[in-house]
Short mmCIF file of all heavy atoms in Angstrom, two decimals:
data_model
loop_
_atom_site.label_atom_id
_atom_site.label_comp_id
_atom_site.label_asym_id
_atom_site.label_seq_id
_atom_site.Cartn_x
_atom_site.Cartn_y
_atom_site.Cartn_z
N ARG A 18 8.45 -21.23 -24.27
CA ARG A 18 8.63 -22.66 -24.06
C ARG A 18 8.68 -22.97 -22.54
O ARG A 18 8.59 -22.07 -21.71
CB ARG A 18 9.90 -23.14 -24.72
CG ARG A 18 9.94 -22.85 -26.23
CD ARG A 18 11.14 -23.41 -26.91
NE ARG A 18 11.21 -23.10 -28.35
CZ ARG A 18 10.54 -23.71 -29.29
NH1 ARG A 18 9.74 -24.71 -28.97
NH2 ARG A 18 10.62 -23.30 -30.57
N ALA A 19 8.82 -24.24 -22.22
CA ALA A 19 8.78 -24.68 -20.83
C ALA A 19 9.80 -23.96 -19.96
O ALA A 19 9.57 -23.65 -18.80
CB ALA A 19 8.93 -26.18 -20.72
N SER A 20 10.98 -23.70 -20.50
CA SER A 20 12.07 -23.11 -19.74
C SER A 20 12.18 -21.61 -19.93
O SER A 20 13.16 -21.01 -19.44
CB SER A 20 13.37 -23.79 -20.10
OG SER A 20 13.66 -23.66 -21.51
N THR A 21 11.27 -20.98 -20.68
CA THR A 21 11.36 -19.53 -20.89
C THR A 21 11.03 -18.76 -19.62
O THR A 21 9.92 -18.98 -19.03
CB THR A 21 10.44 -19.13 -22.03
OG1 THR A 21 10.75 -19.84 -23.21
CG2 THR A 21 10.57 -17.61 -22.30
N VAL A 22 11.87 -17.87 -19.21
CA VAL A 22 11.64 -17.03 -18.06
C VAL A 22 11.45 -15.62 -18.50
O VAL A 22 12.35 -15.02 -19.14
CB VAL A 22 12.81 -17.09 -17.09
CG1 VAL A 22 12.53 -16.32 -15.79
CG2 VAL A 22 13.16 -18.56 -16.73
N LEU A 23 10.34 -15.01 -18.21
CA LEU A 23 10.03 -13.66 -18.62
C LEU A 23 10.33 -12.66 -17.44
O LEU A 23 10.40 -13.12 -16.28
CB LEU A 23 8.58 -13.55 -19.05
CG LEU A 23 8.15 -14.46 -20.20
CD1 LEU A 23 6.72 -14.25 -20.56
CD2 LEU A 23 9.05 -14.29 -21.42
N PRO A 24 10.56 -11.41 -17.75
CA PRO A 24 10.97 -10.48 -16.69
C PRO A 24 9.93 -10.35 -15.56
O PRO A 24 8.68 -10.34 -15.81
CB PRO A 24 11.09 -9.12 -17.46
CG PRO A 24 11.37 -9.53 -18.87
CD PRO A 24 10.54 -10.79 -19.08
N ALA A 25 10.43 -10.23 -14.37
CA ALA A 25 9.59 -10.02 -13.21
C ALA A 25 10.50 -9.52 -12.04
O ALA A 25 11.69 -9.66 -12.14
CB ALA A 25 8.88 -11.30 -12.76
N GLU A 26 9.84 -9.05 -11.03
CA GLU A 26 10.60 -8.77 -9.76
C GLU A 26 10.56 -10.03 -8.94
O GLU A 26 9.51 -10.40 -8.43
CB GLU A 26 9.98 -7.65 -9.03
CG GLU A 26 10.63 -7.29 -7.70
CD GLU A 26 9.87 -6.34 -6.80
OE1 GLU A 26 8.94 -5.69 -7.35
OE2 GLU A 26 10.15 -6.29 -5.62
N ARG A 27 11.71 -10.69 -8.81
CA ARG A 27 11.77 -11.99 -8.15
C ARG A 27 12.63 -11.92 -6.90
O ARG A 27 13.70 -11.29 -6.98
CB ARG A 27 12.29 -13.09 -9.06
CG ARG A 27 11.38 -13.41 -10.24
CD ARG A 27 11.94 -14.57 -11.06
NE ARG A 27 10.89 -14.96 -12.03
CZ ARG A 27 10.80 -14.39 -13.26
NH1 ARG A 27 11.65 -13.45 -13.63
NH2 ARG A 27 9.79 -14.79 -14.04
N ARG A 28 12.15 -12.45 -5.81
CA ARG A 28 12.99 -12.49 -4.59
C ARG A 28 12.70 -13.71 -3.78
O ARG A 28 11.53 -14.17 -3.73
CB ARG A 28 12.74 -11.20 -3.77
CG ARG A 28 11.33 -10.91 -3.38
CD ARG A 28 11.23 -9.53 -2.74
NE ARG A 28 9.87 -9.08 -2.59
CZ ARG A 28 9.23 -8.89 -1.45
NH1 ARG A 28 9.87 -9.16 -0.34
NH2 ARG A 28 8.01 -8.45 -1.45
N ASN A 29 13.75 -14.19 -3.17
CA ASN A 29 13.54 -15.30 -2.20
C ASN A 29 12.90 -14.71 -0.93
O ASN A 29 13.23 -13.62 -0.50
CB ASN A 29 14.87 -15.94 -1.88
CG ASN A 29 15.44 -16.76 -3.01
OD1 ASN A 29 14.65 -17.29 -3.82
ND2 ASN A 29 16.72 -16.96 -3.03
N ILE A 30 12.01 -15.54 -0.35
CA ILE A 30 11.30 -15.08 0.85
C ILE A 30 11.34 -16.23 1.85
O ILE A 30 11.68 -17.37 1.55
CB ILE A 30 9.81 -14.73 0.55
CG1 ILE A 30 9.02 -15.97 0.05
CG2 ILE A 30 9.74 -13.57 -0.41
CD1 ILE A 30 7.56 -15.75 -0.07
N GLU A 31 11.02 -15.87 3.12
CA GLU A 31 10.86 -16.86 4.17
C GLU A 31 9.54 -16.57 4.86
O GLU A 31 9.15 -15.40 5.11
CB GLU A 31 12.02 -16.71 5.18
CG GLU A 31 13.36 -17.14 4.66
CD GLU A 31 14.46 -17.14 5.68
OE1 GLU A 31 14.22 -16.53 6.77
OE2 GLU A 31 15.53 -17.73 5.46
N LEU A 32 8.84 -17.66 5.17
CA LEU A 32 7.58 -17.57 5.85
C LEU A 32 7.77 -18.14 7.26
O LEU A 32 8.45 -19.13 7.46
CB LEU A 32 6.49 -18.38 5.15
CG LEU A 32 6.32 -18.16 3.61
CD1 LEU A 32 5.30 -19.08 3.07
CD2 LEU A 32 5.95 -16.67 3.35
N LYS A 33 7.12 -17.46 8.24
CA LYS A 33 7.21 -17.93 9.63
C LYS A 33 5.85 -18.50 10.06
O LYS A 33 4.84 -17.83 9.98
CB LYS A 33 7.58 -16.76 10.54
CG LYS A 33 8.91 -16.08 10.16
CD LYS A 33 10.10 -17.03 10.38
CE LYS A 33 11.41 -16.29 10.08
NZ LYS A 33 12.59 -17.19 10.25
N THR A 34 5.90 -19.73 10.52
CA THR A 34 4.61 -20.40 10.90
C THR A 34 4.36 -20.11 12.40
O THR A 34 5.29 -19.77 13.18
CB THR A 34 4.68 -21.90 10.70
OG1 THR A 34 5.65 -22.46 11.59
CG2 THR A 34 5.06 -22.24 9.26
N ALA A 35 3.11 -20.31 12.80
CA ALA A 35 2.72 -20.06 14.20
C ALA A 35 3.41 -21.03 15.17
O ALA A 35 3.51 -20.71 16.34
CB ALA A 35 1.20 -20.18 14.35
N ASP A 36 3.94 -22.17 14.68
CA ASP A 36 4.64 -23.07 15.56
C ASP A 36 6.16 -22.89 15.43
O ASP A 36 6.94 -23.81 15.82
CB ASP A 36 4.22 -24.54 15.33
CG ASP A 36 4.43 -25.03 13.93
OD1 ASP A 36 4.67 -24.17 13.02
OD2 ASP A 36 4.37 -26.23 13.67
N GLY A 37 6.61 -21.76 14.84
CA GLY A 37 8.00 -21.41 14.96
C GLY A 37 8.89 -21.93 13.81
O GLY A 37 10.13 -21.84 13.91
N LEU A 38 8.30 -22.44 12.72
CA LEU A 38 9.15 -22.94 11.64
C LEU A 38 9.40 -21.87 10.58
O LEU A 38 8.59 -20.94 10.45
CB LEU A 38 8.46 -24.09 10.96
CG LEU A 38 8.20 -25.34 11.82
CD1 LEU A 38 7.57 -26.45 10.96
CD2 LEU A 38 9.47 -25.89 12.49
N THR A 39 10.51 -21.99 9.87
CA THR A 39 10.81 -21.13 8.73
C THR A 39 10.60 -21.91 7.45
O THR A 39 11.21 -23.01 7.31
CB THR A 39 12.27 -20.61 8.81
OG1 THR A 39 12.39 -19.79 9.98
CG2 THR A 39 12.58 -19.77 7.60
N LEU A 40 9.78 -21.43 6.60
CA LEU A 40 9.53 -22.07 5.28
C LEU A 40 10.16 -21.18 4.21
O LEU A 40 10.05 -19.99 4.27
CB LEU A 40 8.03 -22.18 5.01
CG LEU A 40 7.11 -22.76 6.13
CD1 LEU A 40 5.68 -22.78 5.72
CD2 LEU A 40 7.60 -24.16 6.55
N VAL A 41 10.79 -21.86 3.22
CA VAL A 41 11.47 -21.06 2.16
C VAL A 41 10.57 -20.99 0.97
O VAL A 41 9.81 -21.90 0.64
CB VAL A 41 12.82 -21.71 1.80
CG1 VAL A 41 13.73 -21.71 3.02
CG2 VAL A 41 12.65 -23.10 1.25
N GLY A 42 10.65 -19.87 0.22
CA GLY A 42 9.88 -19.67 -0.97
C GLY A 42 10.42 -18.61 -1.87
O GLY A 42 11.51 -18.08 -1.65
N GLU A 43 9.66 -18.28 -2.91
CA GLU A 43 9.99 -17.24 -3.84
C GLU A 43 8.74 -16.44 -4.17
O GLU A 43 7.64 -17.04 -4.27
CB GLU A 43 10.59 -17.81 -5.11
CG GLU A 43 11.04 -16.73 -6.12
CD GLU A 43 11.10 -17.22 -7.56
OE1 GLU A 43 12.20 -17.70 -7.91
OE2 GLU A 43 10.07 -17.15 -8.27
N PHE A 44 8.90 -15.15 -4.35
CA PHE A 44 7.81 -14.30 -4.79
C PHE A 44 8.18 -13.63 -6.08
O PHE A 44 9.20 -13.00 -6.19
CB PHE A 44 7.48 -13.26 -3.70
CG PHE A 44 6.30 -12.36 -4.04
CD1 PHE A 44 5.03 -12.87 -4.08
CD2 PHE A 44 6.52 -11.02 -4.29
CE1 PHE A 44 3.95 -12.06 -4.39
CE2 PHE A 44 5.45 -10.19 -4.53
CZ PHE A 44 4.16 -10.72 -4.60
N ALA A 45 7.32 -13.78 -7.10
CA ALA A 45 7.51 -13.16 -8.38
C ALA A 45 6.38 -12.21 -8.71
O ALA A 45 5.20 -12.61 -8.61
CB ALA A 45 7.60 -14.23 -9.47
N ALA A 46 6.69 -10.94 -8.96
CA ALA A 46 5.68 -9.94 -9.17
C ALA A 46 5.96 -9.14 -10.44
O ALA A 46 7.08 -9.15 -10.96
CB ALA A 46 5.65 -8.97 -7.96
N PRO A 47 4.93 -8.50 -11.04
CA PRO A 47 5.15 -7.71 -12.24
C PRO A 47 6.14 -6.56 -11.97
O PRO A 47 6.22 -6.00 -10.90
CB PRO A 47 3.77 -7.14 -12.51
CG PRO A 47 2.80 -7.96 -11.74
CD PRO A 47 3.52 -8.46 -10.56
N LEU A 48 6.89 -6.24 -13.03
CA LEU A 48 7.81 -5.16 -12.93
C LEU A 48 7.12 -3.80 -12.97
O LEU A 48 7.62 -2.84 -12.39
CB LEU A 48 8.84 -5.22 -14.09
CG LEU A 48 9.88 -6.32 -14.04
CD1 LEU A 48 10.70 -6.30 -15.34
CD2 LEU A 48 10.78 -6.16 -12.84
N ASP A 49 5.99 -3.74 -13.64
CA ASP A 49 5.30 -2.43 -13.84
C ASP A 49 3.99 -2.39 -13.06
O ASP A 49 3.02 -2.90 -13.49
CB ASP A 49 5.06 -2.21 -15.31
CG ASP A 49 4.34 -3.42 -15.97
OD1 ASP A 49 4.34 -4.50 -15.36
OD2 ASP A 49 3.82 -3.25 -17.08
N GLY A 50 4.05 -1.78 -11.90
CA GLY A 50 2.88 -1.55 -11.12
C GLY A 50 2.50 -2.67 -10.17
O GLY A 50 3.17 -3.73 -10.10
N GLU A 51 1.42 -2.45 -9.38
CA GLU A 51 0.99 -3.40 -8.42
C GLU A 51 0.37 -4.62 -9.10
O GLU A 51 -0.23 -4.51 -10.16
CB GLU A 51 -0.08 -2.79 -7.48
CG GLU A 51 0.45 -1.63 -6.64
CD GLU A 51 1.52 -2.12 -5.68
OE1 GLU A 51 1.31 -3.18 -5.04
OE2 GLU A 51 2.54 -1.42 -5.55
N PRO A 52 0.49 -5.82 -8.50
CA PRO A 52 -0.13 -7.00 -9.07
C PRO A 52 -1.63 -6.86 -9.14
O PRO A 52 -2.25 -6.29 -8.23
CB PRO A 52 0.29 -8.11 -8.16
CG PRO A 52 1.49 -7.64 -7.40
CD PRO A 52 1.31 -6.10 -7.33
N LYS A 53 -2.22 -7.32 -10.23
CA LYS A 53 -3.67 -7.31 -10.36
C LYS A 53 -4.29 -8.47 -9.56
O LYS A 53 -5.51 -8.42 -9.23
CB LYS A 53 -4.05 -7.47 -11.85
CG LYS A 53 -3.54 -6.36 -12.74
CD LYS A 53 -3.85 -6.64 -14.19
CE LYS A 53 -3.30 -5.57 -15.11
NZ LYS A 53 -3.50 -5.94 -16.55
N ALA A 54 -3.53 -9.46 -9.28
CA ALA A 54 -3.96 -10.59 -8.46
C ALA A 54 -2.69 -11.27 -7.94
O ALA A 54 -1.60 -11.08 -8.45
CB ALA A 54 -4.81 -11.56 -9.25
N THR A 55 -2.89 -12.09 -6.90
CA THR A 55 -1.76 -12.81 -6.33
C THR A 55 -2.17 -14.28 -6.14
O THR A 55 -3.24 -14.56 -5.55
CB THR A 55 -1.31 -12.25 -4.95
OG1 THR A 55 -0.80 -10.91 -5.14
CG2 THR A 55 -0.21 -13.09 -4.31
N LEU A 56 -1.37 -15.22 -6.61
CA LEU A 56 -1.61 -16.61 -6.42
C LEU A 56 -0.74 -17.15 -5.27
O LEU A 56 0.49 -16.96 -5.31
CB LEU A 56 -1.28 -17.42 -7.68
CG LEU A 56 -1.85 -16.93 -8.98
CD1 LEU A 56 -1.45 -17.85 -10.12
CD2 LEU A 56 -3.38 -16.77 -8.91
#
């Protein structure tokens, strides 16, 4: 359903821009092996 969360390796991340800003985000990856693709 819309609110169903399936297992993954999830972590908060920060991105640094070339003009010195910090952007906040999250990265979710498969638990088993390397990602086949990244969005």
Side-chain angles (χ1 to χ4, degrees):
R18 303 185 183 278
S20 58
T21 303
V22 185
L23 302 181
E26 178 190 345
R27 294 184 171 87
R28 56 189 166 112
N29 287 335
I30 62 171
E31 292 184 346
L32 311 177
K33 302 294 184 181
T34 67
D36 59 345
L38 299 182
T39 298
L40 312 179
V41 300
E43 182 203 270
F44 182 66
L48 288 175
D49 51 346
E51 296 296 316
K53 299 175 183 176
T55 296
L56 309 182

